[in-house]
Amino acid sequence: MSSTSPDRLRVVVATPLTDEHCALLSRLEPRLDVVCDQALLPPMRFPGDHSGDPGFTRSAADQARFEALVDSAEALYGIPDTDPAALRRTVRANPRLRWVHTMAAGGGAQVKAADLTPDELERVAISTSAGPHSSTLAEFALFAVLAGAKSLPRLLAQQQARTWSSRWTMRHLSEMTVLVVGLGNIGRATARLFAATGARVIGVNRTVRAVDGVEEVVGVDRLAEVVGRADAIVITLPGTDRTRHLISKDVLAQVRPGVIFANVGRGDVVDQDALVEALRDGRVGFAGLDVVAVEPLPADDPLWGFENVLISPHTAALSNQEDRRIAELFAANATRLLNGEELANRMNTVDFY
């Protein structure tokens, strides 16, 4: 039965989640009525597996049960089946639905693809899991820049060849300028890590404001102007219409030769053909990529062929703590909602981030 008390909130878990973390939601916010039917959810294969086993199917009867369950919710923990069409169906079938929380730090692409009307987006608040992934992604960004600065490809090649070569100089982070493009949760965490190494950090952001660890913040309109001052460039931006191919051929034409490039945001922020061209001619000396334009990266993509490219299969955000951290974020937001306060991480439904 759905709750009718204004002092309680019926939450239906619509994405794979362990019983332990379902119980954590209720423990952190006792005013939640949490419904989590594991028989209707695909099993998790690893921590942070919000889609679950792709081989999972429901019978027609179970699908009807699942839809009835999400249609009884006042709040959804996750987009049903991480499917935009399922989100659209649920929003239109359930006039009591007040809030949907996405498991992704972005989640905007799924919500945009649901093609909800402005009235529906006004009625149903949508929040994201921005924050829980920030520290792990910031660490990967640091790792990627260090891999370039400390000649990881050459070291691995020589080790595999059992070659003890002559010595060579390596780059020193404390002598580098790092350009962080995007100063949201991930960007701010990244800036703090690099600042702690002694690197000089310049930030690029839509809103120009002071940020801890960042010596200088400039607007996005000045990106091409400042990119040539960087020894390393780190992308932390979400994928939106505004950010698509922000790292363009023209921007990459202005970089310092041999620059280190890392992307822990979204692949379509970068014009990948232009990045490949910059890798070929040496403008980009090393690239560490957790995200690419098309995922999985096709086997014939030229990025696979570069010895100075490190490719991660979009896994840098995952950690054993992810599910707990998202549950904690959701519970804190539920407290805000029940107390009549503004949700944290409420999605901008114009730019969908």
Side-chain angles (χ1 to χ4, degrees):
M1 299 293 293
S2 61
S3 64
T4 57
S5 169
D7 299 324
R8 301 194 65 79
L9 187 71
R10 179 177 172 86
V11 176
V12 172
V13 176
T15 191
L17 191 67
T18 65
D19 286 332
E20 173 191 1
H21 291 111
C22 289
L24 178 62
L25 296 175
S26 297
R27 189 162 69 251
L28 291 172
E29 177 43 83
R31 293 175 291 177
L32 297 182
D33 298 318
V34 178
V35 182
C36 182
D37 189 336
Q38 295 291 359
L40 299 178
L41 297 172
M44 299 180 78
R45 296 161 293 172
F46 45 81
D49 183 18
H50 305 302
S51 298
D53 185 346
F56 173 82
T57 58
R58 300 186 190 96
S59 66
D62 281 347
Q63 182 64 29
R65 285 177 55 212
F66 179 70
E67 291 181 1
L69 200 60
V70 297
D71 290 351
S72 74
E74 293 169 301
L76 288 178
Y77 190 92
I79 292 174
D81 295 328
T82 62
D83 180 3
L87 174 62
R88 179 172 58 249
R89 188 213 64 80
T90 304
V91 168
R92 292 176 181 172
N94 181 4
R96 291 174 52 82
L97 185 64
R98 301 170 58 190
W99 173 33
V100 175
H101 183 80
T102 74
M103 297 297 99
Q110 292 175 342
V111 176
K112 184 177 181 181
D115 198 25
L116 301 174
T117 68
D119 286 346
E120 289 165 343
L121 291 169
E122 178 66 24
R123 171 172 66 87
V124 181
I126 299 173
S127 62
T128 74
S129 291
H133 313 88
S134 298
S135 60
T136 49
L137 287 171
E139 288 173 4
F140 184 88
L142 178 63
F143 163 68
V145 173
L146 279 170
K150 303 303 180 184
S151 310
L152 179 63
R154 180 174 177 178
L155 291 171
L156 289 175
Q158 291 190 178
Q159 181 174 337
Q160 290 165 1
R162 303 189 178 211
T163 298
W164 185 279
S165 72
S166 59
R167 301 167 70 191
W168 69 91
T169 61
M170 294 186 178
R171 300 166 82 174
H172 195 179
L173 275 183
S174 68
E175 298 173 352
M176 294 174 65
T177 295
V178 178
L179 184 70
V180 178
V181 184
L183 293 174
N185 287 298
I186 300 166
R188 292 194 300 272
T190 299
R192 287 193 296 271
L193 273 187
F194 279 102
T197 71
R200 177 172 187 252
V201 180
I202 300 174
V204 175
N205 204 46
R206 282 179 61 185
T207 303
V208 178
R209 61 178 183 271
V211 174
D212 288 346
V214 182
E215 292 190 17
E216 179 184 358
V217 179
V218 302
V220 175
D221 59 329
R222 294 184 57 196
L223 174 60
E225 173 189 334
V226 299
V227 74
R229 293 158 55 189
D231 301 293
I233 302 166
V234 178
I235 310 302
T236 69
L237 289 168
T240 71
D241 289 343
R242 289 181 189 237
T243 63
R244 176 175 168 77
H245 287 189
L246 182 67
I247 307 303
S248 63
K249 182 174 183 178
D250 289 344
V251 168
L252 289 171
Q254 305 301 319
V255 301
R256 181 176 295 177
V259 72
I260 298 169
F261 186 88
N263 191 357
V264 293
R266 284 294 183 266
D268 64 0
V269 174
V270 180
D271 180 339
Q272 196 160 290
D273 290 340
L275 176 61
V276 167
E277 182 181 330
L279 283 160
R280 284 183 174 140
D281 66 23
R283 279 173 289 146
V284 174
F286 179 87
L289 308 174
D290 183 52
V291 290
V292 289
V294 176
E295 298 179 2
L297 186 64
D300 61 351
D301 193 283
L303 284 174
W304 289 116
F306 288 97
E307 293 182 356
N308 58 336
V309 173
L310 179 67
I311 296 172
S312 161
H314 205 149
T315 196
L318 294 186
S319 78
N320 290 331
Q321 305 304 316
E322 177 175 337
D323 297 313
R324 174 184 59 78
R325 290 174 176 174
I326 294 176
E328 290 171 345
L329 172 62
F330 180 89
N333 244 352
T335 299
R336 286 174 173 267
L337 186 70
L338 286 162
N339 290 348
E341 300 170 1
E342 184 64 31
L343 289 173
N345 293 353
R346 184 160 181 174
M347 183 177 290
N348 175 324
T349 52
V350 175
D351 293 319
F352 290 94
Y353 74 91

